Amino acid sequence: MKIRQVLSALEEFAPLPLQESWDNAGLQLGLTEADVSGALLCLDVNEQIVDEAMQRGCNLIVSHHPLLFRGLKQISGADYVQRSVVKALKNDIAVISMHTNMDNARGGVNWKMAERLGMTDCRFFAQKQVGDVVAGSGVIGELSEPMAADDFVLMVKRQFDVECAQCNQLLQRPIRRVALCGGAGDFLLDDAASLGADAFITGEMHYHQYFGYEQRLQICVIGHYQSEQFTAEVFRDVIQRACPGVNTFIAETNTNPILYI
């Protein structure tokens, strides 16, 4: 199985036109005609991830966040991006990143979050049409049964292995309808509220966005890494379904740069 076949399968699932205009998803580096020795699946790419790929005998890394986000004007080893590029190229390791196209795709990042919470009747909100494909920046659905706000927050923390959740005032009515957006999703707050969501989950938010939703919407912010950490499972399922025989490994390296002390 060639690297280009894995790339094609991922792009068929989450077409590149679904990415935001500022993004840089797709093939980051490497030669796609090489046979795949194994694929390491992760959220971020750094030197430790490249080391893990080497240790596992993988010549392909599939990440959520692009390694090459802004253009490189030099490759001198001055920062972790340049050092990761050098190490990957020296060891014939290709890198593919599926970022906001995977955020916006049906079955992608937000759908995986909803699956973790056991949500039903899920659908896009902030929906958009890209060619023949329906996509959306967020997902909204229903919990299997209503929950008190404190129980809901504890459940979210448990399902996403979160040490600390940032919330606004606890809602004094049961939570049933939940809207969510992995990563930085505060731009969807008003959309979530207007659709009658009882709660909104995202990875990070600006301070002032917490104001004004008291007893209207339960905000639950769980961390950027934590909200998107299961994206590697989406990659695994896509590759195993479309490219049987390719060995896939979910990275054991934790790339979250934020510590809770």
Side-chain angles (χ1 to χ4, degrees), residues 14 18 29 37 49 52 111 130 170 175 180 219 229 240 246:
L18 297 186
L29 55 94
S37 61
I49 285 289
E52 183 176 344
W111 297 80
V130 181
L170 289 179
I175 292 172
L180 51 82
I219 296 169
Q229 62 185 302
Q240 289 183 350
V246 171

Side-chain angles (χ1 to χ4, degrees), residues 61-82:
I61 295 170
V62 180
S63 71
H64 182 46
H65 296 139
L67 173 61
L68 302 177
F69 192 71
R70 298 174 179 85
L72 291 179
K73 295 187 177 180
Q74 63 175 13
I75 303 177
S76 64
D79 57 38
Y80 84 92
V81 173
Q82 295 179 43

Side-chain angles (χ1 to χ4, degrees), residues 5-195:
Q5 292 172 278
V6 176
L7 176 63
S8 177
L10 290 165
E11 291 185 358
E12 183 176 351
F13 182 86
L16 290 183
L18 297 186
Q19 72 179 309
E20 304 297 335
S21 59
W22 44 263
D23 201 6
N24 187 41
L27 179 67
Q28 304 284 290
L29 55 94
L31 302 177
T32 60
E33 285 302 317
D35 292 334
V36 184
S37 61
L40 183 68
L41 316 175
C42 58
L43 195 66
D44 312 285
V45 181
N46 59 17
E47 294 162 273
Q48 291 72 38
I49 285 289
V50 180
D51 287 338
E52 183 176 344
M54 294 163 57
Q55 292 162 6
R56 291 179 177 271
C58 297
N59 66 348
L60 174 61
I61 295 170
V62 180
S63 71
H64 182 46
H65 296 139
L67 173 61
L68 302 177
F69 192 71
R70 298 174 179 85
L72 291 179
K73 295 187 177 180
Q74 63 175 13
I75 303 177
S76 64
D79 57 38
Y80 84 92
V81 173
Q82 295 179 43
R83 292 191 294 272
S84 298
V85 168
V86 170
K87 182 173 283 191
L89 289 175
K90 278 186 173 180
N91 291 279
D92 297 321
I93 296 173
V95 178
I96 295 169
S97 300
M98 298 279 110
H99 191 211
T100 52
N101 54 320
M102 187 61 73
D103 289 329
N104 291 329
R106 182 174 296 277
V109 176
N110 298 318
W111 297 80
K112 175 57 71 171
M113 291 178 66
E115 178 186 305
R116 295 286 304 181
L117 298 173
M119 289 166 54
T120 60
D121 298 324
C122 293
R123 55 202 181 278
F124 285 124
F125 73 104
Q127 186 171 302
K128 47 194 163 189
Q129 186 90 21
V130 181
D132 296 329
V133 180
V134 175
S137 299
V139 164
I140 189 168
E142 315 291 325
L143 297 176
S144 58
E145 58 183 34
M147 301 183 71
D150 54 350
D151 291 333
F152 171 77
V153 173
L154 289 174
M155 183 268 289
V156 172
K157 288 181 62 178
R158 185 172 59 252
Q159 290 301 318
F160 289 88
D161 193 22
V162 172
E163 297 177 61
C164 177
Q166 293 180 296
C167 304
N168 62 343
Q169 184 184 88
L170 289 179
L171 204 64
Q172 294 174 8
R173 68 171 190 271
I175 292 172
R176 181 66 180 265
R177 179 172 295 174
V178 177
L180 51 82
C181 176
D186 57 7
F187 67 101
L188 290 176
L189 266 171
D190 285 336
D191 294 281
S194 68
L195 290 170

